[in-house]
């Protein structure tokens, strides 16, 4: 039988610190309580024993003088513990605490002509003092544990709150928000002592700033290169059109077109990286939109409409995403290529070797492919960026029976009727 899983909150640092503090407080309180109890009890018993032995010596003098004994003394008195009686018969003296007539008594006994001469003292007050001390120790321990636990949890919570903030900022940075910072006040003032959490927060802010500068430099470089290439490529394209017809001129025109396409892709990526894109939302039928993309691609692609849907999106950007997915399926996959519309989800499926492992794990990467060096990895990168702009979800997966499948889920448009608003 499998052991039950503990709740998730039991794995938190606050819970572990609270348990640790509570256990340590209980152990310390128990240790101190035992020490105080043993010390006070020993002192109380010792005082009562000395008093009883003193009374025994006095009674022994009376017994030897033949004078009458007081009420609390006697020879072999009733209630005398058997162990103490046996000790006195052997010629030794001793004391013991035992119940007599429902109350605790301190007994002291010594030898008296082969019998036991004993005295008894009331031990009730001493026993009650010890019981009251035990209750005080228990109550004080509970209060001390509660107060220490509250203070400890409060202190740990302050630390864990800062850790949660640092983790939240790290997640925002990993999601693309490079402006996110922890801004721990302890890292801004050098005169203030820094703890470990402040050190981690400062290191995270420094890393984010460095990463942001590097990415911004890369984005500016990409945009500048693409802009600088457009002018010579335009002239080169015009010059290529003037070449006489033939195989060499076709190769030149083809390479010029490829370079122009790469330049435009780089410009689009730089705009997506800058996050300055604006969305032109409108309501569209998804089935006809997918058919129009396939017709414009000029490829042998089958379109299946399982269930049409109305979506609110940017038509140009959706066409760009689907166009890139269809082109990638034909370029790196194998026929047949099928575009399926099922509600607000459009899937593009081919029957080739499937997406590489790195792409399924971490998404497409620029200028990286594993298909014999064809392509630059920009088509799928642009598709992911445009899908993010329009608020769509683009997922790359392996088809169950082989091949690659990309699924684009768009925000579905819901029409409200008069009956919906009246209810």
């Amino acid at each position: 039988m499998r052991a039950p899983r503990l709740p998730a909150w039991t794995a938190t640092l606050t819970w572990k610190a609270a348990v640790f503090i509570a256990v340590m407080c209980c152990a310390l309180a128990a240790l101190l309580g035992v020490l105080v109890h043993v010390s006070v009890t020993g002192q109380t018993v010792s005082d009562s024993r000395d008093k009883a032995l003193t009374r025994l010596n006095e009674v022994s003098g009376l017994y030897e003088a033949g004078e009458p004994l007081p009420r609390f003394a006697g020879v072999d008195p009733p209630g005398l513990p058997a162990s103490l009686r046996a000790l006195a018969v052997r010629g030794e003296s001793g004391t013991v605490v035992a119940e007599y007539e429902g109350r605790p008594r301190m007994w002291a006994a010594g030898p008296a002509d082969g019998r036991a001469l004993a005295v008894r003292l009331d031990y009730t007050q001493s026993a009650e003092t010890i019981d009251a001390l035990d209750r005080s120790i228990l109550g004080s321990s509970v209060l001390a544990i509660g107060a220490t636990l509250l203070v400890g949890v409060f202190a740990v919570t302050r630390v864990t709150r800062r850790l949660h903030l640092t983790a939240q900022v790290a997640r925002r940075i990993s999601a693309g928000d490079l402006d996110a910072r922890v801004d721990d006040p302890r890292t801004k003032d050098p005169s203030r002592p820094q703890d470990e959490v402040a050190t981690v927060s400062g290191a995270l802010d420094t890393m984010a700033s460095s990463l942001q500068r590097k990415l911004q430099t890369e984005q500016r470089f990409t945009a500048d290169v693409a802009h600088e290439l457009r002018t010579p490529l335009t002239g080169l394209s015009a010059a290529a059109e003037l070449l006489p017809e033939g195989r060499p001129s076709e190769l030149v025109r083809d390479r010029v077109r490829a370079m122009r396409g790469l330049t435009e892709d780089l410009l689009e990526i730089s705009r997506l990286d800058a996050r300055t894109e604006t969305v032109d939302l409108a309501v569209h039928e998804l089935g006809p939109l997918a058919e129009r993309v396939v017709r414009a691609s000029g490829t042998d692609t089958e379109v299946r409409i399982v269930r049409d849907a109305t979506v609110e999106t940017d038509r140009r950007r959706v066409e760009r995403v689907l166009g890139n997915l269809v082109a990638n399926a034909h370029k790196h996959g194998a026929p047949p290529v099928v575009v399926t519309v099922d509600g607000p989800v459009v899937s593009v499926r081919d029957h080739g070797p499937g997406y590489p492992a790195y792409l399924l794990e971490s998404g497409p990467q620029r200028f990286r492919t594993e298909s014999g060096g064809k392509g630059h990895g920009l088509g799928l990168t642009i598709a992911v960026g445009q899908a993010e702009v329009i608020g769509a979800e683009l997922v790359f997966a392996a088809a169950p029976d082989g091949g690659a499948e990309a699924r684009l889920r768009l925000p579905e448009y819901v029409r409200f009727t008069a009956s919906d608003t009246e209810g």
Side-chain angles (χ1 to χ4, degrees), residues 92-106:
E92 300 179 13
S93 299
T95 60
V96 69
V97 176
E99 291 285 336
Y100 179 70
E101 296 180 348
R103 302 178 69 179
R105 308 286 184 175
M106 171 64 75

Side-chain angles (χ1 to χ4, degrees), residues 14 18 62 67 164 174 178 194 243 249 278 329 373:
T14 303
L62 296 176
E67 298 182 5
H164 284 309
S174 64
L178 299 181
Q194 294 189 13
L243 294 176
S249 62
T278 57

Side-chain angles (χ1 to χ4, degrees), residues 347-423:
S347 61
V348 179
R349 160 79 187 283
D350 66 65
H351 292 73
Y355 292 118
Y358 80 87
L359 190 147
L360 295 176
E361 181 179 353
S362 56
Q365 301 178 15
R366 305 170 191 181
F367 300 103
R368 177 178 178 181
T369 59
E370 296 185 2
S371 54
K374 298 185 296 180
H376 306 90
L378 298 181
L380 294 183
T381 303
I382 292 174
V384 171
Q386 294 290 11
E388 182 179 352
V389 170
I390 60 178
E393 180 187 10
L394 181 56
V395 178
F396 301 97
D401 54 348
E405 183 178 19
R407 293 188 295 272
L408 178 68
R409 179 180 294 273
L410 296 161
E412 188 169 6
Y413 179 75
V414 179
R415 291 186 174 90
F416 291 97
T417 62
S419 59
D420 295 330
T421 58
E422 289 175 1

Side-chain angles (χ1 to χ4, degrees), residues 178-329:
L178 299 181
D179 293 324
R181 297 291 185 274
V182 180
D183 289 332
D184 194 314
R186 294 168 180 78
T187 62
K188 295 182 178 180
D189 187 0
S191 63
R192 297 183 62 179
Q194 294 189 13
D195 57 9
E196 289 78 2
V197 179
T199 302
V200 173
S201 301
L204 178 63
D205 287 348
T206 302
M207 181 201 68
S209 299
S210 176
L211 179 62
Q212 186 178 36
R213 286 194 298 270
K214 290 181 180 179
L215 290 179
Q216 288 175 346
T217 301
E218 178 185 342
Q219 293 168 7
R220 285 195 298 270
F221 175 77
T222 302
D224 292 343
V225 168
H227 278 292
E228 292 298 327
L229 285 176
R230 295 184 77 178
T231 301
L233 282 176
T234 301
L236 186 60
S237 178
E241 296 297 330
L242 300 177
L243 294 176
E245 295 295 331
R247 181 61 180 168
S249 62
E250 291 179 1
L251 291 176
V252 171
R253 294 190 188 101
D254 178 69
R255 292 299 88 195
V256 169
R257 283 193 296 270
M259 290 187 65
R260 292 189 66 177
L262 176 59
T263 302
E264 295 300 326
D265 287 346
L266 289 175
L267 283 173
E268 187 170 356
I269 286 179
S270 67
R271 290 193 296 268
L272 291 172
D273 287 340
R275 298 180 180 273
T276 57
E277 297 287 299
T278 57
V279 182
D280 183 17
L281 295 178
V283 179
H284 302 279
E285 298 295 327
L286 191 54
L289 192 152
E291 292 175 339
R292 184 165 53 250
V293 171
V294 170
R295 287 195 302 269
S297 68
T299 59
D300 184 16
T301 303
E302 180 184 356
V303 179
R304 299 175 182 173
I305 301 179
V306 178
R307 179 175 66 89
D308 202 357
T310 303
V311 295
E312 185 177 15
T313 188
D314 189 325
R315 180 181 59 82
R316 181 183 66 83
R317 298 183 189 278
V318 173
E319 291 178 348
R320 177 66 160 151
V321 173
L322 294 180
N324 283 12
L325 294 178
V326 171
N328 183 81

